[in-house]
Amino acid sequence: SYTSTLALDFGTYFWRVQSKDKLGNWGGWSQTFSFDLTLHASPASGSSTTNPRPAFKWNAWTGAIAYDFQLDDAPDFTTLVGQYTGTARSYTPPVPLNGGLYYWRVRVDVGSGFGAWMPAWTVTVSPATPGKPKLVAPKNNALTNDNTPMLTWQAAAGASTYQVQIDDDGAFGSPQQDVIVGVGLLNYIASELPDSTYAWRVRGLNAVGGPGSWSTPRTFTVDTTPPDVPTLITPLDGASS
């Protein structure tokens, strides 16, 4: 382990490690990790919320006389959708935010003016997640000789698009096909499938890609192999009676 002997400023830092043996031979560098030194508390960077008025919170800093907060829907912070300067350590937008990706950041004044901005965090404000779609066709346990079957389902409330998975494993551990269909479509024509039994399921995605619950899965079997040629037994060819 290592503890820095210097007081680090707020920002993003990268670190890595290499080892040396008893003979003084150095190994290669490890992979590089990064961390943010920040007062940001919540919502966590990269998170998503269905609350259109999330509370942005940051931690206290010893000696701080004021905090400056900015919220924007672009990383350059040129067209702010929220701003606060004062002693409080939270900000809640006064009006609901539109769905989308937002960036937020904080800086501190310890008596000599505001310092540098901390690394921006992001949060996605998502509409409510969609309802659960109901599968229509093919029927459960269907048998078909069409190796590109059309799958159809009913619309789910709040869904803009749909994700479809087809797998020969009912646990959907490694889907053979995993696609997002076009906006408003309620069907998907499968790419060519080898003869086998498949499970399939669908879930809705809202306007910013937030997923709802998966449908109850169904199965179908593709069988395009014709039966063997029959072997005639009796009467024998050319026999007379």
Side-chain angles (χ1 to χ4, degrees):
S1 67
Y2 169 76
T3 301
S4 175
T5 57
L6 301 174
L8 301 177
D9 293 328
F10 296 117
T12 300
Y13 293 88
F14 301 86
W15 66 286
R16 62 182 183 175
V17 176
Q18 66 176 169
S19 58
K20 185 173 69 172
D21 64 21
K22 295 186 298 185
L23 300 177
N25 300 309
W26 285 98
W29 285 105
S30 68
Q31 65 186 111
T32 301
F33 279 10
S34 67
F35 65 91
D36 287 342
L37 186 59
T38 181
L39 296 180
H40 297 181
S42 65
S45 188
S47 63
S48 179
T49 178
T50 57
N51 181 0
R53 296 183 62 224
F56 296 87
K57 299 179 180 181
W58 52 94
N59 296 310
W61 184 253
T62 302
I65 63 172
Y67 301 94
D68 200 10
F69 166 87
Q70 289 185 340
L71 175 67
D72 203 344
D73 57 5
D76 56 7
F77 292 90
T78 56
T79 54
L80 300 179
V81 297
Q83 185 174 23
Y84 167 79
T85 301
T87 57
R89 291 186 289 112
S90 68
Y91 171 85
T92 300
V95 296
L97 299 173
N98 295 324
L101 179 65
Y102 289 87
Y103 302 80
W104 66 284
R105 62 184 183 179
V106 174
R107 60 181 178 175
V108 182
D109 183 357
V110 293
S112 56
F114 283 105
W117 291 104
M118 297 170 204
W121 279 14
T122 63
V123 61
T124 298
V125 175
S126 172
T129 54
K132 185 176 179 179
K134 182 178 181 180
L135 306 185
V136 175
K139 293 181 179 180
N140 197 28
N141 299 318
L143 179 65
T144 179
N145 62 0
D146 181 0
N147 62 1
T148 60
M150 176 182 286
L151 313 179
T152 62
W153 56 90
Q154 292 180 357
S160 175
T161 59
Y162 295 87
Q163 182 180 4
V164 183
Q165 289 186 340
I166 303 173
D167 200 347
D168 59 4
D169 169 16
F172 296 93
S174 55
Q176 270 73 26
Q177 297 181 34
D178 187 349
V179 298
I180 296 176
V181 301
V183 174
L185 288 180
L186 299 175
N187 61 76
Y188 168 68
I189 298 176
S191 299
E192 188 171 320
L193 293 166
D195 286 7
S196 188
T197 297
Y198 297 92
W200 68 287
R201 63 182 182 177
V202 178
R203 66 178 176 180
L205 307 175
N206 62 26
V208 296
S213 298
W214 287 107
S215 67
T216 301
R218 286 185 179 181
T219 64
F220 63 88
T221 298
V222 175
D223 182 1
T224 61
T225 304
D228 293 335
V229 176
T231 300
L232 304 184
I233 299 176
T234 187
L236 296 175
D237 185 29
S240 60
S241 58

